[in-house]
Amino acid sequence: QVQLVESGGGVVQAGGSLRISCAASGNILDIINMGWYRQTTGKQRELVASISRTDSTNYAESVKGRFTISRDNAKNTVFLQMNGLKPEDTAAYYCYADIVATTPPIARYWGQGTQDTVSS
């Protein structure tokens, strides 16, 4: 059974940095796309960043130049380095991965979420 486990994050002052990671495990044949969403109370979940199997990346306009997404295919892990954090970056961050496995053949899996808080 495939699962994603997030780690890192926490509380930081404005202008500071955080790094969160998400490791996939289980009967994985391949991972296509990986990425991060975030959500705050009363708002829709927002796509923060994504990275393809060939390291093509996309970022939300609000984080461009401050956040960097990367992945380690050998460890089935995706990272999000967050620099220059602002109070409006405070949210629960969820990783996802589009995984090819024996069954189901392909599906999107989600991490458990990590709360990251930026104090002003």
Side-chain angles (χ1 to χ4, degrees), residues 5 8 18 20-21 23 26 28 33 51 62 71-72 74 78 86 100-101 111 115 117:
V5 177
L18 285 173
I20 52 179
S21 61
I28 297 169
N33 300 308
I51 184 167
S62 58
R71 63 189 282 177
D72 182 337
V78 62
K86 305 175 182 179
V100 179
Q115 178 66 38
T117 301

Side-chain angles (χ1 to χ4, degrees), residues 91-102:
Y93 285 74
Y94 298 88
C95 68
Y96 74 89
D98 298 324
I99 293 176
V100 179
T102 53

Side-chain angles (χ1 to χ4, degrees), residues 12 44 51 75 77 101 106 120:
V12 67
Q44 276 192 322
I51 184 167
K75 296 182 178 180
T77 300
I106 184 168
S120 57

Side-chain angles (χ1 to χ4, degrees), residues 33-117:
N33 300 308
M34 305 183 85
W36 296 89
Y37 278 79
R38 67 185 179 186
Q39 189 167 25
T40 55
T41 303
K43 291 187 177 181
Q44 276 192 322
R45 188 172 287 193
E46 173 191 25
L47 177 62
V48 177
S50 64
I51 184 167
S52 72
R53 198 176 183 282
T54 56
D55 289 340
S56 175
T57 58
N58 282 295
Y59 295 93
E61 284 296 325
S62 58
V63 306
K64 280 183 179 178
R66 299 188 296 122
F67 291 11
T68 302
I69 189 170
S70 60
R71 63 189 282 177
D72 182 337
N73 290 328
K75 296 182 178 180
N76 292 334
T77 300
V78 62
F79 306 94
L80 187 66
Q81 177 68 43
M82 302 181 285
N83 299 328
L85 283 161
K86 305 175 182 179
E88 51 264 42
D89 294 317
T90 295
Y93 285 74
Y94 298 88
C95 68
Y96 74 89
D98 298 324
I99 293 176
V100 179
T102 53
T103 179
I106 184 168
R108 175 163 289 187
Y109 295 84
W110 293 91
Q112 80 277 16
T114 177
Q115 178 66 38
D116 297 323
T117 301

Side-chain angles (χ1 to χ4, degrees), residues 22-38:
C22 172
S25 63
N27 196 11
I28 297 169
L29 300 178
D30 196 10
I31 300 179
I32 302 173
N33 300 308
M34 305 183 85
W36 296 89
Y37 278 79
R38 67 185 179 186

